[in-house]
Amino acid sequence: MNTETTETATRAGRREWIGLAVLALPTLLLSLDMSVLHLAVPHIAADLRPSSTELLWIIDIYGFMIAGFLVTMGTLGDRIGRRKLLMVGGAAFGLASIGAAFATSPAMLIGARALLGVAGATLMPSTLALISNMFRDPRQRGTAIAVWMSCFMGGMVIGPVVGGLLLSVAWWGSVFLLGVPVMVLLLFTAPALLPEYRDEHAGRLDLASVALSLGAILPVVFALKEIAKDGPALGTVAVLLVGLGVGLAFVRRQQRLAHPMLDLGLFRNRTFAAALCIMLVGAITMGGVFLLISQYLQLVAGLTTAQAGLALVPQAGAVVVGSMIAPRLAKRIRPEFVLGFGMLVAAGGLFAFTQLDSGNGVVLVVLGLSVAAFGMGPQGVLCTEMVVGSVAPNKAGAAAAMSETSGEFGIAMGIALFGSIGTAVYRAQLPADAPTAVRESLAGAVNGGDPALLAAARDAFTSGVHTVAAVAVVVVVVFAVVGMVALRGKSRPAVESAGSAESAKVVDEPELAVR
């Protein structure tokens, strides 16, 4: 077969693009589910009357389960089939959504949210792995990933609007029922529109590796969240060390297995490792800065929760725009330069936060976030394409899972690290005689009723934002340069090799002719 025929055969046709619309459904749903919950929290608290600890678990358990099971589900999809895993996860997500909607106690809602997290962990790597298999042409794959990411961010934009409308006319459980018709549609359309892929030579899933991965990821994510809330207490640090120790045991086991759950050899691929690292850094900086800016809008600028949510909508739209233009720019300019210059633009947006004052800086926040989000859009799309496109098709599930896990870890690390920096500056800038409640958080000053102390606390918090933003700017600029150097002249994806393509067998391709 000549080169021209091979290139034609790898290009996606109409069925693949229709299939992409199907894959966008669970992606849109997951972002909707995350964005509407916070609006429902006051209604849940009033109805179910959870304790403060139970309420935190209602919010956090979903993210814990997603982070813990992403690697497992990504590699499981490689073994049993990515479409099959997507459909099983979709059905489970729909059933768990019904359970959450009609929960009658905090424990029941926590359990349903945990099941939603496990099911959600099947959806993201499955959709991304299927995209990487369906769109073998690098340019088409970049566009498909941009659409996929834009749907996720689109859900973040419309989530508060849809959630607000539902909560104004129905009970809090209605926000969970959004997922049911979406998953029913997915289950009906997926068999006809999505081909089945699996690795015929993957071997059996090693249950000990599954246990070790959960024993590593869950304690680390939990510890990072606790450090962000309460600082590095002895017990929290111990939990973090336990997670890291179990993680080391997981790595050693993968090195000994003939068919490891996670192929650590992927990290020897320079493109894969560099792109994954840049994604991690992007999630760390944006996750940490976003935390403080959200608090600034409500506790310093004085916006309500709904007003703050609306102020954050433009940045989600900016990500969509940045994501969609990235593949087009990458056709004319080398991808690493598009990525690097986009990160420099993002650094400019983050720099705006160093100019905030303790008055009303809402306009500057909206502009800064929008510029930063626009600049980070290309980074997300191009790095994701590099991660899934630089490995063989039979490893697409594991690569997609690593891509998603880096984002989850990055956000948790960003909240812990930048939150700790901001808190340290905040406390250092407070008057020496400030009450303990005020030193704990700015919310203590807001609820304290002392105007002079509140003004001082807001100035101190704003100083913390300045410091965090300055650190974020430096980090983003450094990694923009590192990314352009490390990804310079990146090799073509491994999907081009015939041997790799054969091992990622198309098990069931309904009426899908080879083009």
Side-chain angles (χ1 to χ4, degrees):
M1 183 178 292
N2 59 35
T3 303
E4 182 179 354
T5 305
T6 303
E7 290 178 353
T8 302
T10 61
R11 290 187 62 81
R14 182 177 62 179
R15 186 175 294 276
E16 284 86 357
W17 291 107
I18 297 175
L20 177 62
V22 174
L23 294 175
L25 293 175
T27 305
L28 182 66
L29 172 64
L30 285 175
S31 61
L32 275 171
D33 192 71
M34 288 188 289
S35 61
V36 300
L37 176 67
H38 291 285
L39 293 175
V41 164
H43 303 269
I44 293 172
D47 186 21
L48 299 184
R49 300 187 180 278
S51 67
S52 58
T53 301
E54 289 173 330
L55 188 59
L56 285 175
W57 277 111
I58 288 171
I59 297 170
D60 289 341
I61 192 66
Y62 178 77
F64 286 157
M65 293 296 102
I66 283 185
F69 280 90
L70 273 172
V71 173
T72 298
M73 294 304 179
T75 55
L76 181 63
D78 288 341
R79 287 164 167 78
I80 69 171
R82 290 150 197 167
R83 186 183 68 188
K84 179 185 293 185
L85 182 65
L86 177 67
M87 294 180 66
V88 170
F93 198 97
L95 293 174
S97 296
I98 295 174
F102 295 99
T104 56
S105 68
M108 184 176 175
L109 183 55
I110 291 169
R113 290 277 294 164
L115 292 176
L116 281 170
V118 176
T122 69
L123 301 178
M124 294 300 282
S126 296
T127 54
L128 185 54
L130 282 168
I131 287 172
S132 72
N133 293 139
M134 292 162 59
F135 297 89
R136 303 283 289 279
D137 177 75
R139 292 183 176 181
Q140 288 188 320
R141 184 171 57 240
T143 300
I145 290 174
V147 171
W148 177 78
M149 291 193 68
S150 296
C151 288
F152 185 86
M153 295 310 302
M156 299 295 286
V157 172
I158 66 174
V161 178
V162 174
L165 290 174
L166 283 174
L167 291 171
S168 67
V169 298
W171 92 114
W172 59 264
S174 62
V175 301
F176 293 108
L177 295 179
L178 284 171
V180 177
V182 171
M183 289 309 170
V184 170
L185 183 60
L186 172 68
L187 293 175
F188 273 102
T189 57
L193 294 172
L194 300 179
E196 179 65 287
Y197 292 89
R198 67 169 176 257
D199 183 0
E200 293 295 300
H201 308 294
R204 298 180 63 182
L205 185 66
D206 181 51
L207 295 181
S209 294
V210 173
L212 287 172
S213 70
L214 293 175
I217 294 173
L218 290 177
V220 169
V221 173
F222 174 79
L224 290 173
K225 285 181 176 288
E226 290 300 303
I227 289 172
K229 287 190 293 184
D230 304 320
L234 180 61
T236 305
V237 173
V239 172
L240 178 62
L241 292 176
V242 168
L244 294 175
V246 176
L248 180 60
F250 173 79
V251 169
R252 289 181 173 175
R253 182 168 182 83
Q254 303 316 293
Q255 292 172 334
R256 294 196 305 266
L257 292 176
H259 298 286
M261 181 178 124
L262 180 63
D263 184 3
L264 299 179
L266 295 175
F267 291 94
R268 290 194 291 268
N269 183 312
R270 188 186 72 177
T271 300
F272 177 89
L276 203 61
C277 182
I278 293 170
M279 291 178 69
L280 178 66
V281 170
I284 289 173
T285 53
M286 293 302 290
V289 170
F290 193 83
L291 168 72
L292 293 180
I293 291 300
S294 299
Q295 292 178 333
Y296 174 91
L297 288 173
Q298 296 179 69
L299 301 178
V300 178
L303 301 186
T304 65
T305 302
Q307 290 171 335
L310 289 175
L312 297 174
V313 167
Q315 63 91 22
V319 172
V320 172
V321 175
S323 300
M324 292 304 299
I325 68 172
R328 295 180 179 274
L329 291 176
K331 293 177 182 179
R332 298 171 173 82
I333 308 170
R334 292 194 63 83
E336 62 269 28
F337 292 132
V338 176
L339 182 155
F341 285 121
M343 292 182 71
L344 293 177
V345 170
L350 295 173
F351 179 78
F353 302 143
T354 66
Q355 308 303 307
L356 288 173
D357 57 38
S358 57
N360 191 349
V362 174
V363 173
L364 189 57
V365 165
V366 172
L367 290 175
L369 269 182
S370 297
V371 172
F374 175 79
M376 283 295 184
Q379 177 252 19
V381 170
L382 297 178
C383 283
T384 300
E385 193 280 327
M386 290 175 189
V387 167
V388 299
S390 64
V391 303
N394 60 315
K395 302 295 183 183
M402 290 303 298
S403 172
E404 297 299 323
T405 303
S406 70
E408 293 290 333
F409 266 116
I411 292 173
M413 290 174 63
I415 291 173
L417 295 174
F418 285 98
S420 298
I421 293 172
T423 299
V425 174
Y426 167 74
R427 291 173 178 170
Q429 295 289 323
L430 284 173
D433 59 347
T436 301
V438 176
R439 300 190 70 84
E440 285 296 318
S441 70
L442 178 57
V446 173
N447 298 325
D450 185 338
L453 184 57
L454 175 58
R458 282 174 168 169
D459 287 338
F461 186 88
T462 304
S463 295
V465 173
H466 292 166
T467 303
V468 165
V471 173
V473 168
V474 172
V475 171
V476 171
V477 169
V478 169
F479 274 86
V481 176
V482 169
M484 286 188 282
V485 173
L487 296 170
R488 183 175 55 191
K490 74 180 185 75
S491 59
R492 278 299 174 195
V495 294
E496 307 275 337
S497 65
S500 299
E502 290 172 0
S503 60
K505 185 176 180 181
V506 183
V507 180
D508 177 21
E509 194 170 20
E511 301 180 14
L512 185 62
V514 176
R515 295 174 179 83

